[in-house]
Amino acid sequence: MAIIMVLDDVIDAGILIKRILERKGHSVMVFTDEEEALTFAQQDTPDLAILDIKLRKMTGVEVLAELKTRSPKTQVIMLTGYPTLETARESLKLGANEYCVKPIDKEELENKVQEVLAAAL
């Protein structure tokens, strides 16, 4: 199964995602700090990163751009409670593979994670 990194400014949201994906057998690391997450990605090259758009120090789009520099093989799903067409376009342009809208739908998240990981093989 995959190594997945979750970055969300709300720890409860990250823990929810971790519980959902660990039931599918994935190893999930949750971060609330952008730099800690980017350092982890650079050192451990997770298979997938799930990035919230609204963070504390940077935007999720800025983290995505930096992540693709530090760990270009990591697949990315963007997550937001404030979806805009501009953010979706920019995220996809920078290399995000998928885009999910909060509140988190368990089945949708599981399906998108499975699709993104399968496409990367």
Side-chain angles (χ1 to χ4, degrees):
M1 289 274 118
I3 297 172
I4 299 174
M5 174 184 97
V6 178
L7 175 60
D8 197 308
D9 63 325
V10 178
I11 189 68
D12 290 343
I15 290 172
L16 174 63
I17 293 168
K18 177 181 173 92
R19 287 183 182 154
I20 291 169
L21 297 179
E22 282 185 340
R23 286 186 190 138
K24 291 294 183 180
H26 300 296
S27 176
V28 182
M29 300 292 296
V30 177
F31 298 90
T32 57
D33 181 84
E34 296 88 335
E35 193 53 46
E36 288 179 13
L38 286 167
T39 299
F40 171 79
Q42 186 171 5
Q43 294 172 349
D44 297 311
T45 314
D47 301 298
L48 173 67
I50 298 174
L51 306 176
D52 189 16
I53 297 283
K54 186 176 176 230
L55 299 168
R56 294 179 183 157
K57 301 175 196 167
M58 303 168 70
T59 68
V61 175
E62 291 170 331
V63 172
L64 168 63
E66 184 63 27
L67 177 66
K68 285 298 183 180
T69 300
R70 295 187 190 194
S71 181
K73 292 183 179 180
T74 298
Q75 306 300 303
V76 178
I77 295 176
M78 301 303 288
L79 185 66
T80 185
Y82 309 95
T84 67
L85 189 55
E86 181 180 336
T87 304
R89 280 187 189 150
E90 189 174 356
S91 298
L92 295 173
K93 183 178 161 188
L94 288 171
N97 304 86
E98 263 297 348
Y99 196 85
C100 286
V101 176
K102 290 180 178 178
I104 297 165
D105 179 278
K106 178 180 172 272
E107 189 171 318
E108 177 188 13
L109 179 66
E110 290 172 346
N111 289 339
K112 287 191 175 184
V113 166
Q114 183 178 356
E115 290 169 10
V116 168
L117 291 173
L121 295 177

